[in-house]
Amino acid sequence: MRKSLIPLALSGLAMTLTPALAGSGRTGILEQLQAEAGQAFSAERGKALFMARHKGGKPKTPSCTTCHSKSPLNAGRTRAGKRIAPMAVSKTSDRYSDPKKVAKWFRRNCRSVLGRECTPLEKGDFITFMMSR
Amino acid sequence: MTRQLEPDDKIRSEQQTGIPVWDLFIRFFHWSLLALVCLAAFTGFLGEEWWLNYHIWAGYAIGLLVVMRLVWGFVGSPFARFSSFVFSKQQTLSFVRQLLKGRPPRHTGHNPAGALMVFALLLVLSGLVLSGLVLLGGQENQGPLAGLIPYFIGAAFGEFHEFLAALLLFMIGAHIAGVIVESRLGGENLVRAMLTGKKRFSLPGHETAYAKRKAALVAIAICGTIGLAGAGAWRSLATIHPGGLPKMPENVAWKSECGDCHYAYHPSLLPGKSWQMLMAGLASHFGEDASLDEKTRREISSWLQKHAAEHWDTEAANNLRHISAEQPLRITASPWWKRRHAEVGKAVFARKSIGSRGNCIACHRDADSGRFDDQKINIPEK
């Protein structure tokens, strides 16, 4: 009886901790970016970055919204047709919590849209905007 | 058109009742065979790929009918027995000569030309069922021979199956022509005779009844024995895992890294060389930056090459090994892929639930397994 309670308790613990861990992963990523950027992040600047039409990237992907849709609350679609979960943390709770994933997608997508890597400030602004939604 | 009866024909006429010639089984065999051959021909020549099951079941049913007819040919009623319509070469030639003169000699059962056609039809139908089984097992990895027959043998038998099918159509034409000619010249409506079982004319000594009950019991016993043996063989064959479909452990990195942006293609859909080149050029992946960290890239690349097309014996793997010279990395550019999808219009691929040529799983419900069975095709309407 007791033994069977242990996995139950552990899984209960894991369930309560998962969102918290995702949150702590996000905090760590933001702290790291903050240290590199050296100035406060702005959701407004992040929104502008997300909505703007950029030059210098690939002609078929001039904007984040090309694939992610005009609203962070809506799902997007890759150019190959796959669904992309909404970017807003309120809609997709585990967004921006895995440093490897965050690094991968910023690297690829900034190159595609802007034709260069994003700065720590831009990344921080972007995540701050998505957390405000 | 009825020919005047001549005294030396020694023909007895029983216009009122008729003489029993074709027993119940022969008539059932003839007409159900006709229906099944129509179904098999329609689904085989004209049908959609996903109707394959109807074709397969028609084939199995035809096989059963032919087996029963062969048994009945040895134990059945007098005119059902093969021994009653085996003619010598001279008899056959003489019949044909008379036929050409418009005076075919009478026969109560099959005449020599009709007998030849019966044997030829039974042979071709057996060939169709057997080559179909080999084709099904080899090319489609289905049916009782799936575990035994490699793809290339299945594909070769596919050619033979098609040849026999065309030959059968030709023979059916000749059979119908023969029936019309003999009905006209002989004054005996052969179609009606095959429906009622009775003929108006018969040669003396042929006033036989249909099959005896004993014959039916013997035939049922023989067919039952064959059926039990066949079912046993079938069950043990079904336990053999198809050789060309190895069990593949799924790779988590492949599923998420490839599958985040597009349908995660089964490794058997490209040869190892293509996978290697593709995974070496991820920074510009069909115009997209799909770069990965080196550890993940290596892991996925070696897993893809390990399970590439060369290591499978499915229809897709056998054909997609032959890549396009210009676009060796694009599955949908391979000549075979293009041929097989030639009838699917652009508008179909553009449908909302499909989206692109590369979204295999939208129509091939078993794409994840690499099998791509014909029956699993389901093209969404929207």
Side-chain angles (χ1 to χ4, degrees), chain A residues 58 77-82 100 104-105 107-108 111-112, chain B residues 257 259-262 287-292 352 355-356:
Chain A
K58 288 177 181 155
R77 211 168 150 91
T78 69
R79 294 212 303 120
K82 260 235 148 137
K100 271 180 79 175
K104 182 181 89 174
W105 288 112
R107 185 187 70 236
R108 287 181 181 179
R111 277 189 201 158
S112 289
Chain B
E257 295 296 351
D260 271 350
C261 294
H262 56 72
E288 209 72 39
D289 184 342
S291 52
L292 289 169
K352 201 158 179 244
S356 78

Side-chain angles (χ1 to χ4, degrees), chain A residues 76-95:
Chain A
R77 211 168 150 91
T78 69
R79 294 212 303 120
K82 260 235 148 137
R83 180 184 185 273
I84 309 171
M87 297 302 281
V89 172
S90 64
K91 290 280 176 181
T92 313
S93 64
D94 64 349
R95 282 268 184 228

Side-chain angles (χ1 to χ4, degrees), chain B residues 223-272:
Chain B
C223 287
T225 311
I226 295 173
L228 280 177
W234 194 296
R235 276 188 66 171
S236 56
L237 284 170
T239 59
I240 307 174
H241 185 76
L245 282 159
K247 292 193 175 80
M248 178 182 74
E250 196 171 81
N251 184 285
V252 178
W254 159 79
K255 191 87 192 168
S256 68
E257 295 296 351
C258 307
D260 271 350
C261 294
H262 56 72
Y263 174 64
Y265 301 108
H266 195 272
S268 69
L269 304 186
L270 277 179

Side-chain angles (χ1 to χ4, degrees), chain B residues 68-96:
Chain B
M68 291 194 283
R69 179 65 185 92
L70 292 179
V71 171
W72 202 238
F74 292 101
V75 305
S77 67
F79 293 108
R81 293 194 186 203
F82 298 136
S83 58
S84 76
F85 53 93
V86 173
F87 297 96
S88 72
K89 200 174 155 191
Q90 281 87 350
Q91 281 172 306
T92 309
L93 286 175
S94 126
F95 176 83
V96 171

